Amino acid sequence: EPEVTQTPSHQVTQMGQEVILRCVPISNHLYFYWYRQILGQKVEFLVSFYNNEISEKSEIFDDQFSVERPDGSNFTLKIRSTKLEDSAMYFCASRTTGVGNYGYTFGSGTRLTVV
Amino acid sequence: RKEVEQDPGPFNVPEGATVAFNCTYSNSASQSFFWYRQDCRKEPKLLMSVYSSGNEDGRFTAQLNRASQYISLLIRDSKLSDSATYLCVVRETGANNLFFGTGTRLTVIP
């Protein structure tokens, strides 16, 4: 079964440092997403990406965040200057196009710990 | 504003029991509905989409009531492997992202 791959599985960084989280979406999917889940809380939407540009973003996705699809396979989330409150599980997701109740496939996540 | 609300549980049920989870959503323009399953510290995995007419997949039955903005999931003959957090997920019309409930934790006891 095709899967979304995320690296690293766990990242520890010092406050104020930049981090890049990496994702390889499913190859024939066209929509890509980043979500985060703070420990014990619900999964929250950060940003969606389609046709090489951001299609939607949430209030969480401020100027400290950026996304990029540098080549045909990778999709990255950069946090420029990490804060303690950025500590969370970050999930990448992708889906195919089309209408209907299509599900999103999530990667296994990157656990980001800011110290 | 809470887009998607669920009873957080926990639900502790014996093997073989039937258990039902409920979920309400606030935006009447919501278009797509899903139940996801999340194991501890793992990613959400799609359990089933929810259709207006209701749908069944083995021991799992999902129902949607658009008038009441209510979604349900019924699990029959619970197995130990069903222990997980069940996430009610909604996509609004015209939106490209998903709204998650906080999840309902289920523990199936031997």
Side-chain angles (χ1 to χ4, degrees), chain A residues 31-33 35 37 39 41-45 48-50 55-56 89 91 95 100-109 111, chain B residues 1-4 31-34 36 38 41-46 49-51 87 91 94-102:
Chain A
Y31 292 84
F32 314 119
Y33 306 85
Y35 287 79
Q37 186 175 30
L39 189 63
Q41 297 187 24
K42 66 179 180 179
V43 177
E44 299 175 290
F45 168 71
S48 61
F49 193 85
Y50 172 71
S55 52
E56 282 178 68
M89 194 75 155
F91 294 110
R95 69 168 175 89
N101 259 9
Y102 35 75
Y104 295 49
T105 302
F106 285 80
S108 56
R111 179 166 300 283
Chain B
R1 183 187 97 179
K2 290 188 177 181
E3 289 90 1
V4 182
Q31 178 181 38
S32 304
F33 310 90
F34 310 92
Y36 274 75
Q38 187 174 31
R41 295 184 177 244
K42 300 284 189 183
E43 75 273 24
K45 289 188 176 177
L46 179 65
S49 302
V50 186
Y51 299 103
L87 307 175
R91 186 176 72 87
N96 196 19
N97 57 291
L98 302 176
F99 288 100
F100 284 77
T102 51

Coordinates of all heavy atoms in Angstrom, one line a residue, chain A residues 31-33 35 37 39 41-45 48-50 55-56 89 91 95 100-109 111, chain B residues 1-4 31-34 36 38 41-46 49-51 87 91 94-102:
Chain A
Y31 N -2.4 16.9 -3.8 CA -2.6 17.9 -2.7 C -1.8 17.4 -1.5 O -1.8 16.3 -1.2 CB -4.1 17.9 -2.3 CG -5.0 18.5 -3.3 CD1 -5.5 17.7 -4.4 CD2 -5.4 19.8 -3.3 CE1 -6.3 18.2 -5.3 CE2 -6.3 20.3 -4.2 CZ -6.7 19.5 -5.3 OH -7.6 20.0 -6.2
F32 N -1.1 18.4 -0.9 CA -0.2 18.1 0.2 C -0.5 19.0 1.3 O -0.9 20.1 1.2 CB 1.3 18.3 -0.2 CG 1.6 17.7 -1.6 CD1 2.0 18.5 -2.6 CD2 1.4 16.3 -1.8 CE1 2.3 18.0 -3.9 CE2 1.7 15.8 -3.1 CZ 2.1 16.6 -4.1
Y33 N -0.3 18.4 2.6 CA -0.7 19.1 3.8 C 0.3 18.9 4.9 O 1.0 17.9 4.9 CB -2.1 18.6 4.3 CG -3.2 18.5 3.3 CD1 -3.3 17.5 2.4 CD2 -4.1 19.6 3.2 CE1 -4.3 17.5 1.4 CE2 -5.1 19.6 2.3 CZ -5.2 18.5 1.4 OH -6.2 18.5 0.4
Y35 N -0.1 19.1 9.1 CA -0.9 19.2 10.3 C 0.1 19.0 11.5 O 1.2 18.5 11.4 CB -1.9 18.1 10.4 CG -3.1 18.2 9.4 CD1 -2.9 17.9 8.1 CD2 -4.3 18.7 9.8 CE1 -4.0 18.0 7.2 CE2 -5.4 18.9 9.0 CZ -5.2 18.5 7.6 OH -6.2 18.7 6.8
Q37 N 0.0 18.1 15.9 CA -0.7 17.7 17.1 C 0.2 17.8 18.3 O 1.1 17.1 18.5 CB -1.1 16.2 17.0 CG -2.1 15.7 18.1 CD -2.5 14.3 17.8 OE1 -1.9 13.5 17.2 NE2 -3.8 14.0 18.3
L39 N 0.9 17.4 22.2 CA 0.6 16.2 23.0 C -0.7 16.4 23.8 O -0.9 17.4 24.5 CB 1.8 16.0 24.0 CG 1.7 14.7 24.8 CD1 1.8 13.5 23.8 CD2 2.9 14.6 25.8
Q41 N -3.6 16.9 22.6 CA -4.6 17.8 21.9 C -5.0 17.3 20.6 O -4.5 16.2 20.1 CB -4.0 19.2 21.8 CG -3.7 19.9 23.2 CD -3.3 21.3 23.1 OE1 -3.6 22.0 22.1 NE2 -2.6 21.8 24.1
K42 N -5.9 18.0 19.9 CA -6.4 17.5 18.7 C -5.4 17.8 17.5 O -4.5 18.7 17.6 CB -7.8 18.1 18.4 CG -7.8 19.6 18.1 CD -9.2 20.0 17.8 CE -9.2 21.5 17.6 NZ -10.5 22.0 17.3
V43 N -5.6 17.1 16.4 CA -4.8 17.4 15.2 C -5.3 18.7 14.6 O -6.5 19.0 14.4 CB -5.0 16.2 14.2 CG1 -4.3 16.5 12.9 CG2 -4.6 14.9 14.8
E44 N -4.3 19.6 14.3 CA -4.7 20.9 13.8 C -4.1 21.1 12.4 O -2.9 20.8 12.2 CB -4.1 22.0 14.7 CG -4.6 21.9 16.1 CD -3.9 23.0 17.0 OE1 -2.7 22.8 17.3 OE2 -4.6 24.0 17.4
F45 N -4.8 21.7 11.5 CA -4.4 22.1 10.2 C -3.4 23.2 10.2 O -3.6 24.2 10.9 CB -5.6 22.4 9.3 CG -5.3 23.0 8.0 CD1 -4.8 22.3 7.0 CD2 -5.5 24.4 7.8 CE1 -4.5 22.8 5.7 CE2 -5.3 25.0 6.5 CZ -4.8 24.2 5.5
S48 N -2.1 23.9 3.3 CA -2.3 23.0 2.2 C -1.6 23.5 1.0 O -1.4 24.7 0.9 CB -3.8 22.7 1.9 OG -4.4 24.0 1.6
F49 N -1.2 22.6 0.1 CA -0.3 23.0 -1.0 C -0.8 22.3 -2.3 O -1.0 21.1 -2.3 CB 1.1 22.6 -0.7 CG 2.2 23.2 -1.5 CD1 2.7 24.4 -1.2 CD2 2.7 22.4 -2.6 CE1 3.8 24.9 -2.0 CE2 3.8 22.9 -3.3 CZ 4.3 24.2 -3.1
Y50 N -1.0 23.0 -3.4 CA -1.4 22.4 -4.6 C -0.9 23.2 -5.8 O -0.8 24.5 -5.7 CB -3.0 22.5 -4.7 CG -3.5 22.0 -6.0 CD1 -3.5 20.7 -6.4 CD2 -4.1 23.0 -6.8 CE1 -4.0 20.3 -7.6 CE2 -4.6 22.6 -8.1 CZ -4.6 21.3 -8.5 OH -5.1 20.9 -9.7
S55 N -2.5 26.8 -1.0 CA -3.9 27.0 -1.3 C -4.6 27.5 -0.1 O -5.6 28.2 -0.2 CB -4.5 25.7 -1.9 OG -4.3 24.6 -1.1
E56 N -4.3 27.0 1.1 CA -4.9 27.5 2.3 C -3.9 27.4 3.5 O -3.0 26.6 3.4 CB -6.1 26.6 2.7 CG -7.4 26.8 2.0 CD -8.5 25.9 2.4 OE1 -8.9 26.0 3.5 OE2 -8.8 25.0 1.6
M89 N 3.8 16.9 17.4 CA 4.0 15.9 16.3 C 3.5 16.6 15.1 O 2.4 17.2 15.0 CB 3.1 14.7 16.7 CG 3.4 13.5 15.8 SD 4.9 12.7 16.4 CE 4.6 11.1 15.8
F91 N 2.5 16.1 11.2 CA 2.1 15.1 10.2 C 2.0 15.7 8.8 O 1.4 16.8 8.7 CB 0.7 14.5 10.6 CG 0.7 13.7 11.8 CD1 0.1 14.2 13.0 CD2 1.3 12.5 11.9 CE1 0.0 13.4 14.2 CE2 1.3 11.7 13.1 CZ 0.7 12.2 14.2
R95 N -3.3 13.7 -0.7 CA -4.5 13.1 -1.3 C -4.5 13.3 -2.8 O -3.8 14.2 -3.3 CB -5.8 13.6 -0.7 CG -6.1 15.0 -1.1 CD -7.6 15.4 -0.7 NE -7.9 16.7 -0.9 CZ -8.4 17.2 -2.1 NH1 -8.6 16.4 -3.1 NH2 -8.7 18.5 -2.2
G100 N -15.7 13.7 -4.2 CA -16.1 12.5 -3.4 C -15.4 12.5 -2.1 O -14.7 13.4 -1.7
N101 N -15.7 11.5 -1.3 CA -15.2 11.4 0.1 C -13.9 10.7 0.1 O -13.6 9.7 0.7 CB -16.2 10.5 0.9 CG -17.1 11.4 1.7 OD1 -17.1 12.6 1.7 ND2 -17.9 10.7 2.6
Y102 N -12.9 11.4 -0.6 CA -11.6 10.8 -0.7 C -10.9 11.0 0.7 O -11.0 12.1 1.3 CB -10.8 11.5 -1.8 CG -11.1 13.0 -1.9 CD1 -10.7 13.9 -1.0 CD2 -11.9 13.4 -3.0 CE1 -11.0 15.2 -1.1 CE2 -12.3 14.7 -3.1 CZ -11.8 15.6 -2.2 OH -12.2 16.9 -2.3
G103 N -10.2 10.0 1.1 CA -9.5 10.2 2.4 C -8.1 10.7 2.2 O -7.6 10.7 1.1
Y104 N -7.6 11.3 3.2 CA -6.2 11.8 3.2 C -5.3 10.7 3.8 O -5.7 10.1 4.8 CB -6.1 13.0 4.0 CG -6.9 14.2 3.6 CD1 -8.2 14.1 3.2 CD2 -6.3 15.5 3.5 CE1 -8.9 15.2 2.7 CE2 -7.0 16.6 3.1 CZ -8.3 16.5 2.7 OH -9.0 17.6 2.3
T105 N -4.1 10.5 3.3 CA -3.2 9.6 3.8 C -2.1 10.4 4.6 O -1.5 11.3 4.0 CB -2.5 8.8 2.7 OG1 -3.5 8.0 2.0 CG2 -1.5 7.7 3.3
F106 N -1.9 10.0 5.8 CA -1.0 10.7 6.7 C 0.3 9.9 6.8 O 0.3 8.7 6.8 CB -1.5 10.8 8.1 CG -2.6 11.9 8.2 CD1 -3.9 11.7 7.8 CD2 -2.3 13.2 8.7 CE1 -4.9 12.7 7.9 CE2 -3.2 14.2 8.8 CZ -4.5 13.9 8.4
G107 N 1.4 10.6 6.9 CA 2.7 10.0 7.2 C 2.8 9.7 8.7 O 1.9 10.1 9.5
S108 N 3.8 9.0 9.1 CA 4.0 8.6 10.5 C 4.4 9.7 11.4 O 4.5 9.5 12.6 CB 4.9 7.4 10.6 OG 6.2 7.7 10.0
G109 N 4.7 10.8 10.9 CA 5.0 12.0 11.7 C 6.4 12.2 12.1 O 7.2 11.3 12.1
R111 N 8.3 13.9 15.4 CA 8.1 14.5 16.7 C 9.1 15.6 16.9 O 10.3 15.3 17.0 CB 8.2 13.4 17.8 CG 8.1 14.0 19.2 CD 7.9 12.9 20.3 NE 6.7 12.1 20.0 CZ 5.4 12.5 20.2 NH1 5.2 13.6 20.8 NH2 4.4 11.7 20.0
Chain B
R1 N -14.7 28.7 18.9 CA -15.7 27.9 18.1 C -15.1 26.5 18.0 O -14.0 26.3 17.6 CB -15.8 28.6 16.7 CG -16.9 27.8 15.9 CD -16.9 28.4 14.5 NE -16.0 27.6 13.6 CZ -15.9 27.8 12.3 NH1 -16.4 28.9 11.8 NH2 -15.1 27.0 11.6
K2 N -15.9 25.5 18.3 CA -15.5 24.1 18.2 C -16.2 23.6 16.9 O -17.4 23.3 17.0 CB -15.8 23.3 19.4 CG -15.0 23.7 20.7 CD -15.3 22.8 21.8 CE -14.4 23.2 23.0 NZ -14.6 22.3 24.1
E3 N -15.4 23.3 15.9 CA -16.0 22.8 14.7 C -16.5 21.4 14.8 O -17.6 21.1 14.3 CB -14.9 22.9 13.5 CG -14.5 24.3 13.1 CD -13.4 24.9 13.9 OE1 -12.8 24.2 14.7 OE2 -13.0 26.0 13.6
V4 N -15.8 20.6 15.5 CA -16.1 19.2 15.6 C -16.0 18.8 17.1 O -14.9 19.0 17.7 CB -15.2 18.3 14.8 CG1 -15.6 16.8 14.9 CG2 -15.2 18.8 13.3
Q31 N -19.0 19.1 4.1 CA -19.3 18.3 2.9 C -18.9 16.9 3.0 O -19.6 16.0 2.5 CB -18.6 19.0 1.7 CG -18.7 18.3 0.4 CD -18.0 18.9 -0.7 OE1 -16.9 19.4 -0.5 NE2 -18.5 19.0 -1.9
S32 N -17.8 16.6 3.6 CA -17.2 15.3 3.7 C -16.9 14.9 5.1 O -16.5 15.8 5.9 CB -15.9 15.2 2.9 OG -16.2 15.6 1.5
F33 N -17.2 13.7 5.4 CA -17.1 13.2 6.8 C -16.3 11.9 6.9 O -16.5 11.0 6.0 CB -18.5 13.0 7.4 CG -19.4 14.2 7.1 CD1 -20.2 14.3 6.0 CD2 -19.4 15.3 8.0 CE1 -20.9 15.4 5.7 CE2 -20.2 16.4 7.8 CZ -21.0 16.5 6.6
F34 N -15.5 11.8 7.9 CA -14.7 10.6 8.0 C -14.6 10.2 9.5 O -14.7 11.0 10.4 CB -13.3 10.9 7.5 CG -13.2 11.6 6.2 CD1 -13.2 12.9 6.1 CD2 -13.1 10.8 5.0 CE1 -13.1 13.6 4.8 CE2 -13.0 11.4 3.8 CZ -13.0 12.8 3.7
Y36 N -11.5 8.5 11.5 CA -10.1 8.1 11.5 C -9.8 7.4 12.9 O -10.4 7.6 13.9 CB -9.1 9.3 11.4 CG -8.8 9.7 10.0 CD1 -9.8 10.4 9.3 CD2 -7.6 9.4 9.4 CE1 -9.5 10.8 8.0 CE2 -7.4 9.8 8.1 CZ -8.3 10.5 7.4 OH -8.1 10.9 6.1
Q38 N -6.6 6.6 15.6 CA -5.2 6.9 15.9 C -4.8 6.1 17.1 O -5.4 6.2 18.2 CB -5.1 8.4 16.2 CG -3.7 8.9 16.4 CD -3.6 10.4 16.6 OE1 -4.5 11.1 17.2 NE2 -2.5 11.0 16.2
R41 N 0.5 7.9 19.9 CA 1.7 8.5 19.3 C 1.9 8.0 17.8 O 3.1 8.0 17.4 CB 2.9 8.1 20.1 CG 2.8 8.8 21.5 CD 4.1 8.6 22.3 NE 4.0 9.3 23.6 CZ 4.7 10.3 24.0 NH1 5.7 10.7 23.2 NH2 4.6 10.9 25.2
K42 N 0.9 7.7 17.2 CA 1.0 7.3 15.7 C 0.1 8.3 14.9 O -0.6 9.1 15.4 CB 0.4 5.9 15.5 CG 1.1 4.8 16.3 CD 2.5 4.5 15.7 CE 3.1 3.3 16.4 NZ 4.4 3.0 15.8
E43 N 0.2 8.1 13.6 CA -0.6 9.0 12.7 C -2.0 8.5 12.6 O -2.3 7.4 12.9 CB 0.1 9.0 11.3 CG -0.2 7.7 10.5 CD 0.8 6.6 10.7 OE1 1.4 6.6 11.8 OE2 0.9 5.8 9.8
P44 N -2.9 9.5 12.3 CA -4.3 9.1 12.1 C -4.4 8.2 10.8 O -3.7 8.5 9.8 CB -5.0 10.5 11.8 CG -4.1 11.5 12.3 CD -2.7 10.9 12.2
K45 N -5.2 7.2 10.9 CA -5.4 6.3 9.7 C -6.9 6.3 9.4 O -7.7 6.1 10.3 CB -4.9 4.9 10.0 CG -3.4 4.9 10.1 CD -2.9 3.4 10.2 CE -1.4 3.4 10.2 NZ -0.8 2.1 10.3
L46 N -7.2 6.4 8.1 CA -8.6 6.4 7.7 C -9.3 5.1 8.0 O -8.8 4.1 7.6 CB -8.7 6.7 6.2 CG -10.1 6.8 5.6 CD1 -10.9 7.9 6.2 CD2 -10.0 6.9 4.1
S49 N -15.0 6.5 5.3 CA -15.7 7.7 5.0 C -17.1 7.5 5.4 O -17.6 6.4 5.6 CB -15.6 7.9 3.5 OG -14.3 8.1 3.1
V50 N -17.8 8.6 5.6 CA -19.2 8.5 6.0 C -20.1 9.1 5.0 O -19.9 10.3 4.6 CB -19.5 9.3 7.4 CG1 -20.9 9.1 7.9 CG2 -18.4 8.9 8.4
Y51 N -21.1 8.3 4.5 CA -21.9 8.7 3.4 C -23.3 9.0 4.0 O -23.7 8.5 5.0 CB -22.0 7.6 2.3 CG -20.6 7.4 1.7 CD1 -19.9 6.2 2.1 CD2 -20.1 8.3 0.8 CE1 -18.7 6.0 1.5 CE2 -18.8 8.0 0.3 CZ -18.1 6.9 0.6 OH -16.9 6.6 0.1
L87 N -11.2 9.3 15.8 CA -11.3 10.8 15.5 C -12.4 11.0 14.5 O -12.4 10.4 13.4 CB -10.0 11.2 14.9 CG -8.7 10.9 15.7 CD1 -7.5 11.3 14.8 CD2 -8.7 11.7 17.0
R91 N -14.7 17.8 6.5 CA -14.2 18.8 5.6 C -15.3 19.7 5.1 O -16.4 19.2 4.7 CB -13.6 18.1 4.3 CG -12.9 19.0 3.4 CD -12.2 18.3 2.3 NE -13.1 17.8 1.3 CZ -13.6 18.4 0.3 NH1 -13.3 19.7 0.0 NH2 -14.5 17.8 -0.5
G94 N -15.8 23.7 -0.1 CA -14.9 24.7 -0.6 C -13.6 24.8 0.1 O -12.7 25.5 -0.3
A95 N -13.5 24.1 1.2 CA -12.2 24.1 2.0 C -11.4 22.9 1.5 O -11.9 21.9 1.0 CB -12.5 24.0 3.5
N96 N -10.1 23.0 1.8 CA -9.2 22.0 1.3 C -8.5 21.3 2.5 O -7.6 20.6 2.3 CB -8.2 22.6 0.4 CG -7.4 21.6 -0.4 OD1 -7.8 20.5 -0.6 ND2 -6.2 22.0 -0.8
N97 N -9.0 21.6 3.7 CA -8.4 21.0 4.9 C -9.4 20.3 5.7 O -10.6 20.5 5.5 CB -7.7 22.1 5.7 CG -8.6 23.2 6.1 OD1 -9.1 24.0 5.3 ND2 -8.9 23.3 7.4
L98 N -8.9 19.5 6.6 CA -9.8 18.7 7.5 C -9.8 19.3 8.9 O -8.9 19.9 9.4 CB -9.2 17.3 7.6 CG -9.1 16.5 6.4 CD1 -8.4 15.2 6.7 CD2 -10.4 16.3 5.7
F99 N -11.0 19.3 9.5 CA -11.2 19.6 10.9 C -11.3 18.4 11.8 O -12.2 17.5 11.5 CB -12.4 20.5 11.1 CG -12.2 21.9 10.6 CD1 -12.8 22.2 9.4 CD2 -11.5 22.9 11.3 CE1 -12.6 23.5 8.8 CE2 -11.4 24.2 10.8 CZ -11.9 24.5 9.5
F100 N -10.5 18.2 12.8 CA -10.5 17.0 13.6 C -11.2 17.3 14.9 O -11.1 18.4 15.5 CB -9.1 16.6 13.9 CG -8.4 15.9 12.8 CD1 -7.9 16.7 11.7 CD2 -8.2 14.6 12.8 CE1 -7.2 16.0 10.7 CE2 -7.6 13.9 11.8 CZ -7.1 14.7 10.7
G101 N -12.0 16.3 15.4 CA -12.4 16.3 16.8 C -11.3 15.9 17.7 O -10.2 15.5 17.2
T102 N -11.5 16.1 19.0 CA -10.4 15.7 19.9 C -10.2 14.2 20.1 O -9.2 13.8 20.6 CB -10.7 16.3 21.3 OG1 -12.0 16.0 21.7 CG2 -10.6 17.8 21.3

